[in-house]
Amino acid sequence: GGMPMAAAPSPADLPTSTHRLTEAEALAVLETFVREEASADRFSGAVLVAKDGGVLFSKAYGLADRERETPNTVPTRFRIGSMNKMFTAVAIMQLVEAGKVDLKAPLGTYLTDYPNREIAEQVTIHQLLTHTGGTGDIFGPEFEAHREELRTLADYVELYGERGPEFDPGSQWVYSNYGFILLGAVIEAVTGQSYYDYVREHIYEPAGMTRTGSLPEVKEVPDRAVGYMDLSGGTDWQPNTETLPYRGTSAGGGYSTVGDFARFADALLNHELLNPDSTDLLITGKEEIEP
């Protein structure tokens, strides 16, 4: 599920700024707004609001599978796209705390046989985390041609590892999915574990996230919603199955639930995943992005 947030108009019944909403009023406005969006088929998914670890509101709307008419529920697993990146960033910071990764070190410190020497020697872990390394994307013609064969992080590195940087590392901010594939490869190199095992053991399990993962699309995952896209402007929803990678990666494509996301936020802010300094570093904005 999901909708472009820019497309969401302000609810007409939102009181003016002279009156600060009570919690109950704010939740009532939210509920009305989401219900209207869902009934107009502009939103399908689950909504959860939590405060200080307590859930104030959680409801699901629309269908997880339109063909089978399976309704969304609060525990429905939705594909979370690039939200995997935040798990990858937490994992890297855990390894920084453990003394296994240095944010200032170049990529080649950890991926010693990385094919493109320029990237290996010049792009730092910090630059990968902040999308300033010039490492480019994974989507495009090569991805389309090899979508089904790209099964491990190493497969992506093999396909894109010869490419040089798109710009002088550190000189610009350009969102890079491939940069987060490389961070996943670093996690694998320094831990000797697969990316998936590492984040499960060191992030999902400690946070109590039992419904989050990145199992391949061919695996049966209970309660995993079908993703839909509409290329016609609101009337013709088609499954996005043919666009999905073989499985989610350190750059995105896993699945989770609103409850697990709340547990993740809670564990992070309570310093159960990282120490206070690392947590602050993680959640503080880094780059001034020109509009």
Side-chain angles (χ1 to χ4, degrees):
M3 58 180 176
M5 293 313 284
S10 290
D13 53 353
L14 198 62
T16 54
S17 57
T18 51
H19 167 68
R20 187 173 163 82
L21 292 182
T22 65
E23 198 170 272
E25 285 170 335
L27 293 172
V29 169
L30 172 72
E31 180 164 21
T32 302
F33 174 58
V34 179
R35 198 172 57 238
E36 285 171 0
E37 290 295 301
S39 64
D41 207 16
R42 287 191 297 265
F43 175 71
S44 173
V47 177
L48 181 144
V49 179
K51 180 182 177 185
D52 301 328
V55 174
L56 302 178
F57 178 89
S58 63
K59 278 200 176 158
Y61 304 82
L63 297 174
D65 185 327
R66 288 171 181 244
E67 199 182 21
R68 296 179 186 165
E69 298 193 343
T70 314
N72 283 321
T73 62
V74 173
T76 294
R77 293 163 150 136
F78 297 100
R79 288 176 185 75
I80 55 174
S82 283
M83 303 296 268
N84 281 26
K85 289 186 177 74
M86 64 189 180
F87 305 140
T88 303
V90 170
I92 289 283
M93 292 306 299
Q94 289 177 338
L95 296 171
V96 169
E97 281 186 12
K100 292 179 179 172
V101 170
D102 177 359
L103 291 174
K104 296 191 178 75
L107 177 69
T109 311
Y110 310 105
L111 303 188
T112 49
D113 52 358
Y114 191 75
N116 185 278
R117 295 318 301 164
E118 235 182 317
I119 283 184
E121 289 163 14
Q122 294 178 21
V123 178
T124 67
I125 302 302
H126 173 84
Q127 287 167 348
L128 293 174
L129 283 166
T130 56
H131 300 282
T132 55
T135 40
D137 211 332
I138 55 176
F139 299 115
E142 295 117 318
F143 177 80
E144 297 303 323
H146 300 279
R147 187 170 68 88
E148 290 291 315
E149 301 140 45
L150 292 164
R151 300 194 166 200
T152 63
L153 300 184
D155 292 339
Y156 286 89
V157 175
E158 193 176 333
L159 184 59
Y160 299 113
E162 305 283 348
R163 285 194 312 204
E166 291 184 349
F167 50 79
D168 191 22
S171 69
Q172 291 180 50
W173 184 93
V174 176
Y175 192 86
S176 172
N177 281 306
Y178 184 54
F180 270 74
I181 294 279
L182 293 175
L183 289 168
V186 168
I187 293 164
E188 294 189 338
V190 303
T191 64
Q193 285 185 288
S194 79
Y195 169 78
Y196 307 101
D197 289 344
Y198 181 88
V199 292
R200 188 183 70 247
E201 286 175 27
H202 297 271
I203 297 174
Y204 305 157
E205 285 176 6
M209 299 163 67
T210 57
R211 298 180 67 77
T212 303
S214 291
L215 283 176
E217 291 296 325
V218 292
K219 289 264 183 10
E220 192 60 46
V221 175
D223 305 322
R224 183 164 63 178
V226 177
Y228 292 93
M229 52 189 186
D230 172 34
L231 306 172
S232 68
T235 50
D236 182 27
W237 294 103
Q238 297 294 331
N240 65 355
T241 320
E242 295 305 309
T243 68
L244 298 170
Y246 171 76
R247 74 185 300 187
T249 66
S250 49
Y255 46 83
S256 188
T257 67
V258 284
D260 271 9
F261 265 14
R263 282 183 274 277
F264 172 72
D266 220 41
L268 187 65
L269 297 175
N270 289 323
H271 308 129
E272 289 162 27
L273 301 176
L274 293 168
N275 70 35
D277 288 348
S278 300
T279 304
D280 288 346
L281 184 61
L282 180 88
I283 62 180
T284 305
K286 304 292 183 296
E287 300 296 320
E288 290 298 324
I289 301 166
E290 297 300 320

